[in-house]
Amino acid sequence: MRTLCINLKTPQESSSAEAFLVLSPRAQYRFPHYIFVDIGSTQHLMGGEMGCLEKALEIASKFAPDASAAIADTPAGAQMLAKWRPSHISLRGKEQESFKGLGLDALKDLEGLSPWAQKKPVEHMIAFFHTLGVYGLEGVLNFRLNSLRERWGDFGVLLWNRLHSQDSQVISPLVPRDPLVGYGYLDDPLGSAPLLMNRLKVHLDILFARLQGLARHAQRLDVVLHCEYSDKRYNLSIEPVSPTRDQELFEDLLFKKLEQQVLENPIREFEITLFDVPEKIQQLDFFEPRDNTEDRWRRLISFAKQSQCEMGFLQMEASHFPEQSFRLVTDWPEDFKPQDLVERQDEALQIKSVYAKALASSPRPSLLLEKPQALSAGEVQKLRFVSSLPSERIESAWWQISVQDLKNRDYYFALSHQGQLLWVFKDRINSQVYLHGYFD
């Protein structure tokens, strides 16, 4: 077994171990601030043990800026090295060689998953070795098992086993049970959105690190701000257009909402709740950029949604009537190919954006009125019809004919007196002409 120990140095919740599930499913928290991960069968996924160590320190920085880590054969050895030789990786099967040069005080950290019941026996042992003129761990390694047993009994046997990598400590798979919640109490109440956001970000870093380890996506973020001088609360809810792990997006949306609040009554405490859903599995090409057009589009829609603006794609619907043949959707169309159309003619080059390349060949206008506009007789006389024959006819069954329904139409292309190409139709029941769209 190869064990990675992360020393977060400040007390943490047991749920902090979830953030390190990206390294291995075998992760375990030990009070007050140690995380042990068995990377024996997963280290190759991170590019080796050094890759695991670097990734662990990257995750640990979200919990504590001065966190340390080390890799050894056993949890006890890894913990001691994380404290006394940060970022050290011991040779496989030669853990004791990494102990050379360490002082006897390092024995206090030779614990692993099972901490010393009391520190006093270790301190007495250190003092005894000092009287013998032994000041380094390599000197203790030379003592035989029977010698330590005769002097200290079972405690001496346990110490000898840990020094010689004989203490079996198994790291079990982690089963997540804790909700994704955070809580903060401010000694100095804050009424400034930027300062408050800085305090919230510390908790968001931890929550999204756990979310990454759990391989989940965030659907919604709820923040409750409690005021100092009253029972007033600010309830902020952030919900992007689709579930995501984009922490920066959630932070931007949250900060926009914070700026809209009038924090005359400063904030004393806050609660954060993250609602998660299973992630969408998407097979990507090895060379495909992860930040693609779809991600940027979803981010834009999320900002618009928060500002009560409607935007999205017009998706075609199966309907005979043009005003009912499109529906506004925010989901990225499955058959949408994000590639611009490039046309070359002689030495001229024309690039049509992916959002409008089909308009040139569209039989219907790019600007369609939601409700057809009736034209007066004078307005019709000013139009110049391109042809006398309709370009399209919509006709309902005889038993569905109604004067108000406009279900029997003949469509024509017409030019206005300003030279603009229009899309008009004539109601075949009452001969009324309606304007229905414009061509760009």
Side-chain angles (χ1 to χ4, degrees):
M1 181 175 70
R2 294 290 283 174
T3 304
L4 167 66
C5 175
I6 303 101
N7 183 356
L8 298 177
K9 297 186 178 180
T10 55
Q12 302 290 335
E13 299 290 338
S14 60
S15 58
S16 59
E18 297 172 359
F20 298 90
L21 288 174
V22 295
L23 304 174
S24 170
R26 296 181 179 273
Q28 187 168 335
Y29 166 84
R30 205 211 83 196
F31 181 84
H33 47 68
Y34 293 103
I35 307 293
F36 295 91
V37 185
D38 183 357
I39 60 171
S41 59
T42 59
Q43 50 91 15
H44 64 281
L45 300 175
M46 298 290 168
E49 294 182 348
M50 180 56 73
C52 285
L53 184 65
E54 293 174 350
K55 183 65 175 179
L57 290 174
E58 177 187 341
I59 299 172
S61 65
K62 299 181 179 181
F63 295 84
D66 58 343
S68 61
I71 298 176
D73 290 334
T74 63
Q79 178 189 335
M80 186 172 65
L81 292 174
K83 169 70 176 296
W84 297 94
R85 286 187 173 170
S87 302
H88 181 80
I89 301 177
S90 69
L91 297 177
R92 189 181 296 270
K94 298 181 179 180
E95 185 179 78
Q96 291 75 26
E97 293 184 3
S98 300
F99 298 165
K100 295 180 180 179
L102 295 179
L104 294 184
D105 284 342
L107 291 175
K108 299 177 182 178
D109 298 291
L110 192 65
E111 298 174 309
L113 303 179
S114 302
W116 300 120
Q118 293 181 346
K119 295 290 186 181
K120 285 186 178 180
V122 183
E123 294 172 353
H124 291 162
M125 182 179 290
I126 293 173
F128 176 78
F129 283 127
H130 284 169
T131 62
L132 300 179
V134 177
Y135 296 95
L137 285 187
E138 61 268 22
V140 181
L141 289 170
N142 295 329
F143 282 83
R144 296 181 179 180
L145 174 61
N146 291 336
S147 301
L148 297 181
R149 180 188 290 119
E150 292 175 2
R151 180 72 185 183
W152 291 287
D154 291 341
F155 180 78
V157 174
L158 178 59
L159 179 65
W160 190 92
N161 286 336
R162 289 184 177 179
L163 282 172
H164 293 82
S165 306
Q166 301 298 316
D167 184 27
S168 178
Q169 298 182 2
V170 179
I171 303 175
S172 303
L174 176 63
V175 180
R177 294 186 176 91
D178 297 319
L180 291 165
V181 296
Y183 171 80
Y185 183 86
L186 306 175
D187 294 329
D188 297 319
L190 296 175
S192 169
L195 294 178
L196 184 59
M197 189 66 204
N198 288 337
R199 301 299 294 269
L200 291 170
K201 189 179 187 309
V202 175
H203 295 267
L204 291 175
D205 287 343
I206 294 176
L207 291 177
F208 275 88
R210 290 176 54 195
L211 194 73
Q212 178 75 28
L214 295 171
R216 307 276 290 181
H217 277 182
Q219 184 177 40
R220 192 174 86 244
L221 174 69
D222 286 351
V223 178
V224 181
L225 305 176
H226 298 267
C227 296
E228 180 183 17
Y229 300 118
S230 66
D231 294 332
K232 183 178 180 180
R233 299 188 304 176
Y234 295 93
N235 296 293
L236 310 180
S237 183
I238 307 299
E239 186 172 1
V241 66
S242 62
T244 178
R245 276 200 299 267
D246 188 349
Q247 180 181 346
E248 184 180 354
L249 171 60
F250 276 92
E251 290 178 358
D252 289 344
L253 293 173
L254 177 58
F255 184 66
K256 293 294 183 184
K257 282 208 168 182
L258 283 176
E259 287 185 318
Q260 296 172 4
Q261 311 302 319
V262 181
L263 303 177
E264 294 179 351
N265 190 348
I267 305 302
R268 169 63 75 178
E269 54 186 320
F270 57 83
E271 304 170 31
I272 303 176
T273 305
L274 201 61
F275 297 89
D276 60 309
V277 295
E279 67 178 351
K280 295 181 179 179
I281 305 299
Q282 182 182 11
Q283 183 65 42
L284 298 175
D285 185 81
F286 183 77
F287 296 102
E288 182 176 349
R290 297 304 184 255
D291 184 19
N292 52 31
T293 305
E294 179 178 355
D295 295 332
R296 294 190 292 269
W297 173 249
R298 292 186 184 279
R299 182 180 179 87
L300 181 61
I301 288 184
S302 298
F303 275 99
K305 181 180 179 182
Q306 182 168 287
S307 302
Q308 287 80 45
C309 295
E310 277 193 78
M311 63 184 303
F313 291 97
L314 288 177
Q315 180 173 299
M316 296 187 67
E317 296 288 319
S319 175
H320 291 292
F321 302 99
E323 63 271 21
Q324 301 174 5
S325 60
F326 293 95
R327 179 170 61 93
L328 185 67
V329 296
T330 57
D331 292 333
W332 189 267
E334 295 182 359
D335 58 347
F336 195 83
K337 303 293 184 182
Q339 296 179 351
D340 293 335
L341 177 64
V342 180
E343 292 184 351
R344 295 179 176 84
Q345 184 175 2
D346 298 330
E347 296 181 356
L349 180 68
Q350 183 181 15
I351 300 178
K352 297 181 180 179
S353 70
V354 65
Y355 307 108
K357 66 181 182 181
L359 295 181
S361 59
S362 174
R364 289 180 173 177
S366 56
L367 179 58
L368 193 67
L369 299 182
E370 185 176 357
K371 183 178 180 181
Q373 176 184 340
L375 299 177
S376 63
E379 291 174 327
V380 174
Q381 290 181 354
K382 295 180 181 180
L383 297 180
R384 182 161 60 90
F385 287 82
V386 176
S387 65
S388 58
L389 298 176
S391 61
E392 184 177 345
R393 169 169 289 181
I394 296 177
E395 188 172 20
S396 61
W398 62 269
W399 60 85
Q400 295 178 329
I401 294 178
S402 173
V403 177
Q404 290 80 16
D405 288 343
L406 301 178
K407 292 185 177 180
N408 293 268
R409 312 173 182 177
D410 282 342
Y411 278 91
Y412 298 88
F413 297 108
L415 292 173
S416 68
H417 67 283
Q418 298 173 340
Q420 187 175 19
L421 183 60
L422 309 177
W423 201 45
V424 300
F425 72 84
K426 179 183 292 186
D427 186 358
R428 298 177 59 238
I429 302 300
N430 55 19
S431 299
Q432 173 65 50
V433 178
Y434 293 84
L435 173 63
H436 203 180
Y438 300 85
F439 287 89
D440 287 342

